[in-house]
Each structure stands twice: as C-alpha cells, then as structure tokens.
C-alpha cells in the first residue's frame, strides 16, 4: 500500500512537470512571435532585423523628420537632399501617423532611397488632447505632426543628440557640419535667429515677415507681459534645430512646452492667425535666451512666404539649407525657386503624391 502511494506521488510530480513544460513552451513561442511581429512593423523596411538593430547603434547622424500623407513628397525630397550631400552615415527617424506608414515604406523601397538607414515611428495624436484648439484660419498648422518636435524624448530614438528638420527644406550642405555644432553649457538646443542673416533682411521687410516676439505672442494678455520678454527681441525658427536629448530631459522641456500649450488652450495667448501658428510660440517662450545660435546659412528661410519675392542667386548658392516656411510650398503652385527643390524631388511610385504645376 505504501509502495502504491509512493508511486502515485511520483506519477503526480511527472504529470505536473509535463504541464509546466507544455505551458512554458506555449508562452515562449507566443512571446517570440509577438516580438518578431512588432519588430517587423516598427522599422518599416525590408532589411533584416539584425541589420536594422545594428544600424541604429552605428555612429550615424540621426535626423528626425515628419512625413504626413498629404506632404510625403516633401519629406522624401528633404531626405534625398540630406543623403546625397554628405559622406557621413545618416540615420533617419521618420515620424508619421498610422495612415501613411505603408506609403512611406513603398516610397522608400521602390526608389533610389531604398539604401538609406531609417526607422518609421508612429506618433499618437491623442497626446495633444486638451492642448490644441481647433482653428479654421490655418488648419494646416494644427496638424498633429507639427507638434512632434515637442516630444522628442518620448520617441523611440536611440541617440543623445539629433537634428530636427521640417519637411519643406532642402539641404545643400553637408549635414555633418550642422550636427557638429557645439552647444553652450545648459543649452538643450540650437536654432537660427531671425536677425542673423543680413542678406535676407530686405526681402523679409518687403513681405512683412515677423522676426520679433511681437509677431508671435499677444502682448495684450497679462500672462504674456508677465514673461518679461521684450516684444522687440529677435525670434528664432524652430523648423531646423539641433537638440541634446539628455539636456532636454533634464530641463523637462516637454513639460514646459505642454504647460504653454494648455495655457493657450484656456487663454488664447497666441493663435494660428499669428506668424508662427500655434507650434512656434511655446518654443519661443521656453527657449527664450536659452539656445545656441547656428550659422544662419543653415536655415535660409521665408522662401514660402510669398509667391513673388525671390532671393538673389548668390544667397541661394551660399545657403547650406533652404526653407520654404510659409503658405507657398514647392510641391504646390505658385512658389518661388522651384528648380532648387525639384532637383531633389523623387516621384511617388504609388502615384498618390503628385506635384501641382500650371498647365502647359
């Protein structure tokens, strides 16, 4: 009898071990499958997983750029110009919404860009809930991707320093030069000041482009006046900048930006009808007197401010970066200096993005 009880215990232990083994096998298989599925979905191109993970860790220049479905051709032109004008290794973090992921993969995979190193990051627009008001005067300036620059530390970026570029720029210089800028102690970012490029001042004045804080903040509001920022202080352009992610985190820059977004949501301290829309003023407030200046030739801007005002050819040649900020984009019509942009444009292999040009 005792022998029978002992045998039953042994059989029970064997049965328990078999059950645990079976459960462990199923769990391990499930986790492996889930990990592989996520890895395939996130990077966004057909290279091997191991190659992509290695690419992120390379000593590459990381460039963050957004790609909206309706402006995807602009993003690809920017990427092409960066990639073509440097010998350095560049890694592109392409931030987008879910509806554009498939098109981005096809745009890159079926064109000359297929050999670039990149990763697609999906941005969740719900992070903006309660922080951005609808505004019918410039709805394009309220696109969720306009606010990606606020959330850089929250993106899946494996670099401590990054370059952020808008999708309406063309890089004519070597991006390594911009990346190597020395940030001053305590500065989380470097921007181009709106007062630093004398050769463009005449055109800026002729088209009425704002270059001071007065053009971006509503100084009738007491909360704006309490900032103590002189309305005649020079503004800067946040469409091109170099950022130190560690310093950004240390200073809690994202939380500061969100604070001013929510203040504007309640008090209308600025609006998209003003010069920089609703994405520029929080940057101007948070980084006032706390940023390093970059060489102004690395952001020769206002090309999209007027369909008629043109830069001198000498200015265009000296520019390391051309920026069509404003309403008149180079993929639409009318716009100035189209030849400078079209040189880098790559037609969409899916046919969904096309240039707007006059007939004939």
């Amino acid at each position: 009898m005792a022998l029978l009880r002992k045998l039953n215990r042994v059989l029970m232990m064997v049965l328990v071990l078999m059950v645990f083994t079976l459960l462990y096998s199923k769990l391990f298989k499930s986790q492996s499958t889930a990990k592989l599925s996520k890895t395939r979905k996130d990077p966004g191109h057909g290279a091997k997983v191991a190659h992509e993970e290695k690419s992120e860790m390379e000593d590459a220049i990381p460039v963050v750029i957004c790609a909206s479905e309706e402006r995807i051709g602009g993003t690809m032109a920017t990427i092409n110009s960066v990639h073509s004008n440097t010998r350095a290794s560049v890694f592109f973090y392409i931030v987008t919404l879910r509806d554009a992921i498939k098109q981005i993969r096809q745009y890159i995979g079926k064109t000359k860009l297929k050999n670039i190193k990149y990763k697609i990051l999906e941005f969740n627009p719900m992070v903006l809930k309660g922080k951005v008001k609808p505004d019918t005067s410039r709805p394009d300036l309220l696109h969720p991707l306009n606010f990606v620059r606020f959330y850089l530390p929250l993106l899946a970026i494996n670099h401590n320093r990054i370059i952020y570029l808008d999708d309406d720029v063309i890089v004519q210089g070597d991006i390594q030069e911009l990346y190597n800028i020395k940030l001053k102690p305590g500065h989380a970012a470097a921007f181009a000041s709106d007062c630093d490029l004398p050769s463009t001042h005449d055109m800026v004045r002729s088209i009425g482009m704002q270059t001071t804080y007065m053009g971006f903040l509503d100084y009738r509001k007491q909360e704006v006046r309490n900032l103590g920022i002189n309305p005649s202080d020079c503004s800067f352009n946040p469409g091109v900048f170099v950022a130190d992610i560690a310093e950004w985190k240390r200073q809690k820059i994202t939380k500061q930006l969100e604070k001013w977004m929510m203040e504007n949501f309640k008090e209308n301290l600025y609006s998209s009808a003003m010069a920089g829309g609703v994405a520029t003023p929080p940057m101007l407030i948070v980084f006032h007197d706390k940023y390093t200046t970059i060489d102004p030739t690395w952001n020769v801007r206002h090309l999209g401010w007027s369909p008629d005002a043109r830069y001198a050819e000498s200015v265009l040649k000296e520019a390391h970066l051309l920026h069509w900020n404003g309403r008149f984009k180079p993929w639409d019509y009318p716009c100035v200096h189209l030849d400078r942009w079209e040189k880098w444009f790559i037609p969409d292999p899916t046919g969904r993005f096309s240039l707007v040009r006059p007939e004939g």
Side-chain angles (χ1 to χ4, degrees):
M1 195 69 178
L3 181 61
L4 185 60
R5 285 198 298 270
K6 185 175 181 181
L7 182 61
N8 285 338
R9 284 199 297 270
V10 171
L11 289 173
M12 184 62 70
M13 289 177 63
V14 170
L15 181 61
V16 169
L17 285 172
M18 289 176 65
V19 170
F20 272 111
T21 301
L22 183 62
L23 288 173
Y24 176 81
S25 176
K26 287 185 176 180
L27 181 62
F28 179 81
K29 182 178 180 181
S30 174
Q31 288 178 335
S32 299
T33 303
K35 184 177 179 182
L36 182 60
S37 175
K38 184 177 180 182
T39 303
R40 283 177 177 168
K41 179 180 179 181
D42 289 347
H45 62 80
K48 293 181 180 179
V49 171
H51 172 71
E52 290 182 340
E53 290 176 348
K54 181 180 178 182
S55 294
E56 285 190 15
M57 303 309 294
E58 284 182 359
D59 187 20
I61 297 171
V63 173
V64 177
I65 185 168
C66 296
S68 65
E69 189 174 22
E70 60 273 22
R71 296 164 56 134
I72 193 170
T75 301
M76 297 305 159
T78 301
I79 290 174
N80 187 29
S81 69
V82 172
H83 179 69
S84 299
N85 287 309
T86 184
R87 293 183 179 179
S89 175
V90 181
F91 192 92
F92 295 96
Y93 290 99
I94 305 172
V95 189
T96 190
L97 303 181
R98 184 169 298 177
D99 58 2
I101 292 176
K102 182 178 179 181
Q103 189 179 1
I104 292 170
R105 289 173 177 163
Q106 292 177 335
Y107 215 133
I108 293 174
K110 295 182 178 181
T111 65
K112 63 182 289 188
L113 297 177
K114 62 186 176 182
N115 293 322
I116 67 169
K117 299 168 187 174
Y118 75 100
K119 182 176 183 179
I120 296 175
L121 304 177
E122 182 183 338
F123 184 67
N124 183 4
M126 290 304 294
V127 74
L128 302 175
K129 188 175 181 180
K131 303 180 184 75
V132 180
K133 275 184 182 178
D135 191 325
T136 56
S137 60
R138 288 294 303 276
D140 56 312
L141 296 177
L142 297 177
H143 195 289
L145 294 179
N146 281 348
F147 302 91
V148 163
R149 71 198 86 189
F150 290 14
Y151 295 96
L152 296 175
L154 305 184
L155 301 176
I157 295 175
N158 295 327
H159 291 86
N160 290 323
R161 170 182 281 219
I162 63 96
I163 294 174
Y164 175 90
L165 297 178
D166 274 351
D167 61 3
D168 54 359
V169 310
I170 289 298
V171 175
Q172 300 186 139
D174 187 339
I175 200 74
Q176 177 112 45
E177 180 184 325
L178 179 61
Y179 185 71
N180 288 342
I181 185 174
K182 185 177 181 181
L183 294 176
K184 294 180 180 178
H187 286 178
F191 303 92
S193 168
D194 283 328
C195 301
D196 275 356
L197 197 56
S199 59
T200 69
H201 287 177
D202 288 342
M203 194 183 86
V204 168
R205 281 193 293 268
S206 71
I207 61 179
M209 181 65 192
Q210 297 295 323
T211 59
T212 67
Y213 274 71
M214 176 63 83
F216 296 88
L217 303 179
D218 188 351
Y219 277 85
R220 295 171 299 179
K221 301 292 175 68
Q222 186 61 46
E223 193 166 1
V224 171
R225 295 197 295 271
N226 289 344
L227 288 168
I229 298 175
N230 190 322
S232 63
D233 280 0
C234 286
S235 51
F236 60 83
N237 182 273
V240 177
F241 62 90
V242 180
D244 181 323
I245 301 300
E247 188 64 27
W248 190 293
K249 290 180 180 178
R250 191 186 71 78
Q251 295 186 31
K252 297 181 172 61
I253 297 294
T254 296
K255 285 193 175 296
Q256 293 186 57
L257 292 167
E258 286 189 320
K259 170 185 179 293
W260 286 106
M261 290 171 73
M262 290 184 283
E263 289 294 330
N264 183 63
F265 191 89
K266 294 183 294 184
E267 303 292 338
N268 270 347
L269 305 180
Y270 44 86
S271 76
S272 62
M274 301 185 79
V278 295
T280 295
M283 300 281 281
L284 293 178
I285 293 171
V286 171
F287 285 100
H288 180 253
D289 279 346
K290 294 179 182 176
Y291 69 92
T292 300
T293 55
I294 65 176
D295 186 319
T297 61
W298 271 104
N299 195 355
V300 175
R301 48 207 178 278
H302 315 318
L303 277 75
W305 197 252
S306 165
D308 303 307
R310 304 178 68 89
Y311 277 112
E313 190 62 26
S314 58
V315 175
L316 298 176
K317 284 183 178 180
E318 293 172 4
H320 295 309
L321 182 148
L322 299 173
H323 191 175
W324 279 263
N325 60 314
R327 294 174 182 264
F328 303 97
K329 302 302 183 185
W331 48 85
D332 287 329
Y333 188 85
C335 186
V336 296
H337 305 303
L338 295 177
D339 57 323
R340 291 274 174 174
W341 184 85
E342 287 188 353
K343 178 180 179 182
W344 305 106
F345 173 66
I346 300 172
D348 181 1
T350 72
R352 294 168 65 185
F353 179 90
S354 58
L355 302 184
V356 177
R357 294 292 183 261
E359 294 182 6

